[in-house]
Amino acid sequence: LSICGKLCYAIGGAPNQVAGSAAAFFLQIYLLDIAHITPFHASLVLFIGKASGAVTDPVAGFFISKSRWTKIGRLMPWMLACTPFTVVSYFFMWYLPPFVSGRVAWYLTFYCLFQALTTLFQVPYSALTMFLSTDQKERDSATAYRMTMEVLGTLIGAALQGQIVASAHVSHHCTVTPPVNTTDSWHDTPSFPDPSDPLSHQVIYMIAAGVIGGVYLLGIVILFLGVKEKDDPYALNSDRAIPFCKGLGLTMKHGPYVKLTASFLLISTAVQLEQSNFVLFCTHAADLRNHFQYLVVTILVSAAVSIPFWQKFLQRFGKKCAACGISWMIPFAVMLVTIPNLILAYVVAFVSGLSIAASLLLPWSMLPDVVDNFRLQNPHGKGHETIFYSSYVFFTKMSAGIGLGISAAGLEFTGYKAGICRQSDDVILTLKILIGAVPAILILLGLFILLFYPITEESREETKLALEALR
């Protein structure tokens, strides 16, 4: 694979991360503080939206596995077809409709559409790794390029969205010290910006959505022009495609896949909880409302810079050993919750970026090894790659949706009120638990399951040699 080909492949997946990052960091606070939706309804939007994306995964895998080879490949047509619709749904997801009573249905509709359409892109895009090269090192290298660009995409999305919409979440009323005897009125002071501001909330969020929509179109053009999809290199003419339902049953019985998926669905849920609640935590629990966009950028710069380090690390010490780096964020996150200090917040942001980079790179680097292992045990079937990738994304999305739904419902239960300067002590405690305790427990459980993952560096080499003999 040429460096140019790897870069084009990596850039093609970045727009999904740009949009996903903006939604992960800002959609919850947008629904609560700009659209004025209750935390309960926000939790429904987040959970049902994630669930709709998750349900789309096996459906997408089914239809993609039935697709025939075309002049531009089997996977590329799906990515080209869904991108324009994805841009439209993303744009309207941030639009503030003039009516109030139907806003929940509006955001639920377009968030579900956006999640379903990004799935139709992500499943063939991630499975494309298996059709770039037959060499494990080349695929790992392409995955590292992809993860670096996706983290940069996450950084661009959070930075663009954060810088453009920051003014919609800053109020001069909340930056002054409250009088001694007016605590109650301080709690009830609205923190919404002045509506007479010419750059109102709606215009600000529309500008951000339009910019990110343009990034989508640029990414798909680069992917189409720079990447050439190859047909299944191991399949013989006599081999038949594995039926989707049968293939799904076989993947669910494949030990390495089950352990890998169980581990990283817990870890990805922890990362999603950190992302979705970090801005709320900085705004309401740590008095860092004027710094949250810079803290988000710090996290993502750290993640982007450390991807090449983790790639070198896993090549030298093995992928299972590199997974220990995911746990680095736990003690620092607990420190931030107990000692909400500005300097410590930046340290936590930097270390969290290192851990997030490892959590992003490792599953996508390990999944091709699982597919190769399955191929060796089922040598006369083909078309199973999209089944592995679609079901993996299904489980991680579903677990993240459940986690986000529970976190938003927890804020509703403890009395979160949109637009006030200071939330109640119960809300602040809930945010601290969602940022510190819950992700720590999920990460430790995920790493414990990963201890039983059976594919080692030695077995990877044996599988590689056996597949070369099969070819």
Side-chain angles (χ1 to χ4, degrees), residues 55-396:
V55 170
T56 309
D57 283 299
V59 176
F62 174 78
F63 285 108
I64 292 169
S65 67
K66 298 288 185 182
S67 301
R68 293 185 177 182
W69 183 263
T70 67
K71 291 182 179 180
I72 59 173
R74 187 161 58 94
L75 304 174
M76 190 67 73
W78 287 88
M79 294 180 274
L80 289 173
C82 70
T83 297
F85 300 101
T86 305
V87 173
V88 172
S89 64
Y90 181 80
F91 185 81
F92 283 109
M93 193 174 80
W94 299 99
Y95 177 71
L96 192 66
F99 48 85
V100 177
S101 59
R103 280 185 184 174
V104 175
W106 175 277
Y107 290 113
L108 182 60
T109 299
F110 283 104
Y111 188 51
C112 287
L113 275 174
F114 173 71
Q115 289 292 333
L117 289 165
T118 53
T119 294
L120 286 176
F121 180 94
Q122 192 65 29
V123 170
Y125 174 76
S126 55
L128 187 59
T129 310
M130 300 301 298
F131 300 99
L132 295 176
S133 173
T134 58
D135 186 83
Q136 289 180 351
K137 288 185 179 180
E138 286 293 319
R139 289 201 306 251
D140 285 348
S141 177
T143 301
Y145 273 81
R146 171 193 160 194
M147 287 299 110
T148 302
M149 200 56 67
E150 287 193 353
V151 172
L152 284 173
T154 305
L155 167 63
I156 292 168
L160 275 176
Q161 191 88 355
Q163 293 301 322
I164 294 173
V165 309
S167 61
H169 299 287
V170 174
S171 171
H172 297 295
H173 297 296
C174 295
T175 57
V176 296
T177 305
V180 177
N181 297 320
T182 56
T183 306
D184 292 337
S185 62
W186 171 255
H187 274 269
D188 295 332
T189 303
S191 65
F192 304 124
D194 185 358
S196 63
D197 186 347
L199 280 178
S200 63
H201 324 312
Q202 179 176 345
V203 175
I204 291 171
Y205 272 95
M206 288 292 90
I207 291 170
V211 171
I212 291 175
V215 173
Y216 253 110
L217 298 176
L218 179 64
I220 191 64
V221 169
I222 293 174
L223 178 68
F224 175 70
L225 296 177
V227 175
K228 184 178 181 182
E229 180 184 343
K230 300 176 182 178
D231 204 356
D232 190 339
Y234 297 120
L236 303 173
N237 291 332
S238 58
D239 289 347
R240 292 186 176 183
I242 299 176
F244 183 83
C245 293
K246 180 182 177 182
L248 190 61
L250 290 172
T251 58
M252 292 302 103
K253 296 175 184 177
H254 193 59
Y257 178 73
V258 172
K259 293 179 177 66
L260 180 71
T261 303
S263 172
F264 278 98
L265 70 83
L266 293 171
I267 293 169
S268 65
T269 302
V271 173
Q272 282 279 340
L273 285 173
E274 288 276 349
Q275 282 186 321
S276 63
N277 291 290
F278 187 76
V279 176
L280 283 171
F281 174 81
C282 291
T283 303
H284 298 299
D287 292 327
L288 299 171
R289 66 173 67 242
N290 294 324
H291 296 272
F292 70 80
Q293 65 266 41
Y294 306 112
L295 290 167
V296 168
V297 169
T298 303
I299 291 173
L300 298 172
V301 167
S302 170
V305 170
S306 60
I307 288 281
F309 161 76
W310 286 118
Q311 176 66 13
K312 294 289 185 184
F313 188 95
L314 64 87
Q315 285 178 347
R316 181 165 184 178
F317 299 103
K319 298 178 181 179
K320 287 180 69 173
C321 185
C324 297
I326 300 171
S327 63
W328 291 358
M329 67 189 293
I330 295 175
F332 290 94
V334 172
M335 286 171 65
L336 178 62
V337 166
T338 53
I339 314 168
N341 176 275
L342 179 60
I343 296 174
L344 180 61
Y346 278 99
V347 174
V348 171
F350 177 78
V351 176
S352 296
L354 298 177
S355 296
I356 289 171
S359 71
L360 289 173
L361 176 63
L362 283 169
W364 296 111
S365 180
M366 297 166 85
L367 197 54
D369 302 335
V370 173
V371 176
D372 279 347
N373 183 271
F374 181 85
R375 158 69 78 179
L376 196 60
Q377 297 182 20
N378 301 271
H380 296 295
K382 63 179 181 179
H384 55 277
E385 294 85 2
T386 52
I387 299 173
F388 272 97
Y389 281 87
S390 62
S391 55
Y392 174 78
V393 179
F394 166 78
F395 287 118
T396 52

